[in-house]
Amino acid sequence: MRQEIQTDTVSRRRVRARAVAQAGSLQQAVLTGLIEQFEDLTMNEVLVLGLINQEVRTFIGIFGHGSTDLGEVLRVYEEEGLLKVIPVHNEVMASHVASMLAWKHGERPAVFTSIGPGALQAAAGSLVSLSNGLGVYYLFGDETTHNEGPNMQQIPRKEQDLYLRLLSTLGKAYSVAEPRSIYTALKWGYAAVNDPAGHTPFFLLLPMNAQSTVMEGSNLLEIPAPKASSPQVSCDERLFKDAVRAISTHDRILVKIGGGSRDVPEALLSEFVEATGAVLVHGPNVSGRLPYGHGRNMGVGGSKGSICGNYAMEHCDLLISIGARGVCQADSSGTAWKEVRQVVSINTECIDAYQYNRTIPLLGDAALVIGKLLGHLGKVPVSGEKQAWIDVCSARKERWREYKRERYDHPVLFDEAFGRKVLTQPAAIRCAVGFADAIEACKVFDAGDVQANGFQIVEDSSYGRTITDTGSSYMGFAASAILAHALVDTEEYAIAFTGDGSFLMNPQILSDAVQYGLKAMVIIFDNRRMGAISSLQKAQYGIDYATNDSVAVDYVQLASSFAGVKGIFGGYDTQTLKQALVEGYEYNGLSVIHVPVYFGDDPKGGLGTFGSWNVGCWCDAVQQEKHRIGL
């Protein structure tokens, strides 16, 4: 009898799925009479229909005992062509792939897990989407609502809604403890992942006993449909006049852009920089938003920064902040603005717009606010003082080029761990970056010193050529994230730049890349340590401690042990590395290139640090400087 009921449920579910596929949407399927408006549906089927309504078509994760019923619903809808399910080997990886789909490819994906540890792994990975403003659904199994006894893998405490409490601390979360509340959950989820003021993940908790509950007479037209949304823009004309007055009366103007500037058209940003007589500095995650070759672009600035970027930040008298947050990478823990007298802040979030004192806040979508401000501004004459500011910043940019060239011209140094001369990270990364740019590949950087050297090296001519998670600096992000390129319709090649430590955090790409036919490359820059932390320890205390190991790993053999993956040794010089890059690119699958790189005290082994950072024993001095500046 049970089997007959199950067969009937699947049969009716398949009819609904086919109707939606035929009509093009759930609403049209009902309105054209292909299916009835009122049907008996499980809560999970309403959830899946609701997510399909919101254009969520890619579901990535791992099934477990807390998500078997969700899996059964997804199976039928995938067989009818309405979605695709991507099972992977780690929940953190699932989260990174989803973040990349949202970040680079503009999708709205969903991550699914079981109850307990799997959900916590995905929640940890969600720091990438949280930090970088990405709309991702997280569907987590949860303990039953009857509390009949401990559920395996729940948090082992006799309290209700512990996972809801935990996830609500991370971001926006909802527990579908009563099945018919799924309609509200879908509304709240849509508002979160599509919020025009800033996309954010949405954590949806699905108690196991609620998932398969049949809701008789469910109203299919109650399932929320996508809404038209309008970007925000400030309508307070006084603030725009104040901003114009500030631009007209200051000579050393800096435009600082962060992640909130991602959607600002290049032409509009260029016009704004030219009209204000400003120079521009960007955060690490918006490289290429204004081409690096633009005469006013001073490159990256912040705690790691650059000679030109940090000079402009430390000597400007008017800061125009666009979509940026006051974090260490952005403003040297608040100490970069040593001579700023006035701030104009363009942001969708009040708390970020009000970050600094002496601020004129222009709340709203960056592109709309800039356009409106240009309408008020007109053309500000480039005075002799403004031109002098542009010239001195340009001279610092030329000095930065020479500084980098000196390191590129000394590509190998003797390394104690390898007992021979090996490539430095600046030389090796620059070689790989040049190759990636030549084939128009997407460069994805992992955390650590590979990331830090990387965003100092890249000179992108357009946005989207580099993806770097400086928001959470999640080790293992890059190698995981490139799987997204196998899940979308793109001819673009992807290259993950990762350190040995980051790669070993999440090496599942070696299996999943083959499973999904990914043609891409992972480059492992191996210095047998967490180089960023070793360097920090040496800078602060003169010695590194517990951040390295003596284990030699044959990454070529490791990669080659996975059928379908090609391991390649990148060699000890740039010529050999270039040959390895060509060989890897020509391989029809995932190639993994192992490059030993230098770690030591020679300053030519890295690109250095040009800003301050509120960390470790530096905290007191940095905080005192921040309070002295008083911004």
Side-chain angles (χ1 to χ4, degrees), residues 350-561:
C350 285
I351 195 167
D352 292 320
Y354 299 162
Q355 169 75 19
Y356 303 117
N357 293 326
R358 304 190 293 279
T359 292
I360 301 167
L362 300 177
L363 292 172
D365 175 81
L368 293 180
V369 172
I370 291 172
K372 186 173 180 179
L373 186 54
L374 280 170
H376 285 74
L377 188 63
K379 179 73 173 178
V380 177
V382 178
S383 63
E385 290 79 6
K386 276 186 167 66
Q387 188 60 53
W389 165 244
I390 295 167
D391 291 343
V392 73
C393 289
S394 298
R396 291 307 191 283
K397 187 173 182 179
E398 184 58 35
R399 186 182 299 179
W400 176 232
R401 288 194 186 98
E402 294 171 359
Y403 178 91
K404 291 197 291 185
R405 172 61 58 189
E406 182 182 8
R407 278 140 185 82
Y408 300 154
D409 288 344
H410 294 83
V412 296
L413 292 170
F414 182 84
D415 183 86
E416 293 183 3
F418 292 100
R420 60 161 298 146
K421 286 186 175 181
V422 298
L423 283 165
T424 65
Q425 284 208 61
I429 293 173
R430 178 177 180 264
C431 180
V433 163
F435 178 81
D437 290 343
I439 63 171
E440 298 186 338
C442 175
K443 307 179 294 290
V444 188
F445 282 87
D446 229 321
D449 53 348
V450 172
Q451 178 190 65
N453 281 290
F455 64 64
Q456 290 176 312
I457 289 170
V458 296
E459 299 180 358
D460 292 328
S461 59
S462 61
Y463 176 71
R465 302 258 49 93
T466 297
I467 299 293
T468 180
D469 168 36
T470 53
S472 62
S473 286
Y474 208 114
M475 295 181 72
F477 167 73
S480 296
I482 59 172
L483 183 64
H485 273 66
L487 308 181
V488 296
D489 183 17
T490 181
E491 296 297 320
E492 183 184 56
Y493 194 77
I495 300 178
F497 292 66
T498 184
D500 52 304
S502 289
F503 180 75
L504 291 175
M505 290 280 185
N506 278 97
Q508 292 83 10
I509 192 65
L510 297 176
S511 175
D512 290 325
V514 180
Q515 178 70 26
Y516 297 106
L518 173 67
K519 179 177 168 60
M521 183 186 298
V522 174
I523 308 175
I524 303 173
F525 300 90
D526 177 16
N527 56 13
R528 293 190 186 170
R529 64 179 60 243
M530 294 190 295
I533 307 306
S534 293
S535 298
L536 184 60
Q537 290 174 328
K538 279 178 167 286
Q540 291 188 329
Y541 307 105
I543 190 170
D544 59 320
Y545 173 68
T547 52
N548 65 336
D549 60 59
S550 59
V551 180
V553 179
D554 188 338
Y555 289 100
V556 174
Q557 183 177 346
L558 172 63
S560 300
S561 68

Side-chain angles (χ1 to χ4, degrees), residues 234 236-251 253-255 272 275-276 317-322 342-346 358-363 369-370 372-378 380 386:
S234 174
D236 192 332
E237 298 299 318
R238 295 172 302 171
L239 293 175
F240 283 89
K241 291 178 182 178
D242 289 343
V244 169
R245 188 178 304 112
I247 293 168
S248 299
T249 56
H250 288 81
D251 296 318
I253 303 175
L254 170 68
V255 172
F272 183 68
T276 55
D317 58 5
L318 173 65
L319 164 65
I320 303 176
S321 175
I322 303 175
Q342 182 74 67
V343 178
V344 175
S345 186
I346 300 172
R358 304 190 293 279
T359 292
I360 301 167
L362 300 177
L363 292 172
V369 172
I370 291 172
K372 186 173 180 179
L373 186 54
L374 280 170
H376 285 74
L377 188 63
V380 177
K386 276 186 167 66

Side-chain angles (χ1 to χ4, degrees), residues 80-254:
E80 297 302 326
L82 286 165
L83 55 86
K84 55 186 176 183
V85 174
I86 310 296
V88 294
H89 284 82
N90 181 276
E91 291 90 352
V92 174
M93 181 179 189
S95 186
H96 291 338
V97 175
S99 292
M100 187 66 163
L101 286 172
W103 194 342
K104 171 70 176 175
H105 303 289
E107 290 202 9
R108 286 287 173 271
V111 174
F112 63 87
T113 77
S114 184
I115 185 177
L120 289 180
Q121 291 234 75
S126 76
L127 288 172
V128 174
S129 48
L130 281 162
S131 297
N132 293 286
L134 307 173
V136 176
Y137 266 102
Y138 287 85
L139 313 177
F140 296 158
D142 199 7
E143 59 189 291
T144 61
T145 59
H146 290 191
N147 301 117
E148 66 273 30
N151 282 277
M152 183 171 62
Q153 297 185 325
Q154 74 180 68
I155 298 175
R157 290 173 56 189
K158 304 292 186 183
E159 296 182 40
Q160 290 180 306
D161 297 329
L162 289 174
Y163 274 108
L164 179 61
R165 194 184 311 170
L166 175 65
L167 294 168
S168 294
T169 302
L170 276 175
K172 298 182 184 300
Y174 194 101
S175 175
V176 191
E178 199 287 312
R180 290 187 187 269
S181 66
I182 185 62
Y183 300 104
T184 297
L186 287 165
K187 290 177 182 177
W188 288 19
Y190 184 82
V193 302
N194 295 283
D195 188 350
H199 300 164
T200 187
F202 187 70
F203 302 101
L204 193 53
L205 288 165
L206 309 172
M208 289 183 288
N209 60 321
Q211 291 185 46
S212 57
T213 298
V214 176
M215 301 184 297
E216 296 181 355
S218 298
N219 185 351
L220 295 179
L221 293 183
E222 189 181 0
I223 297 175
K227 312 286 192 302
S229 62
S230 175
Q232 302 171 340
V233 60
S234 174
C235 60
D236 192 332
E237 298 299 318
R238 295 172 302 171
L239 293 175
F240 283 89
K241 291 178 182 178
D242 289 343
V244 169
R245 188 178 304 112
I247 293 168
S248 299
T249 56
H250 288 81
D251 296 318
R252 291 174 283 127
I253 303 175
L254 170 68

Side-chain angles (χ1 to χ4, degrees), residues 322-345:
I322 303 175
R325 295 179 298 165
V327 296
C328 60
Q329 287 285 12
D331 69 356
S332 297
S333 299
T335 65
W337 316 118
K338 300 184 186 302
E339 299 181 22
V340 167
R341 302 201 306 269
Q342 182 74 67
V343 178
V344 175
S345 186

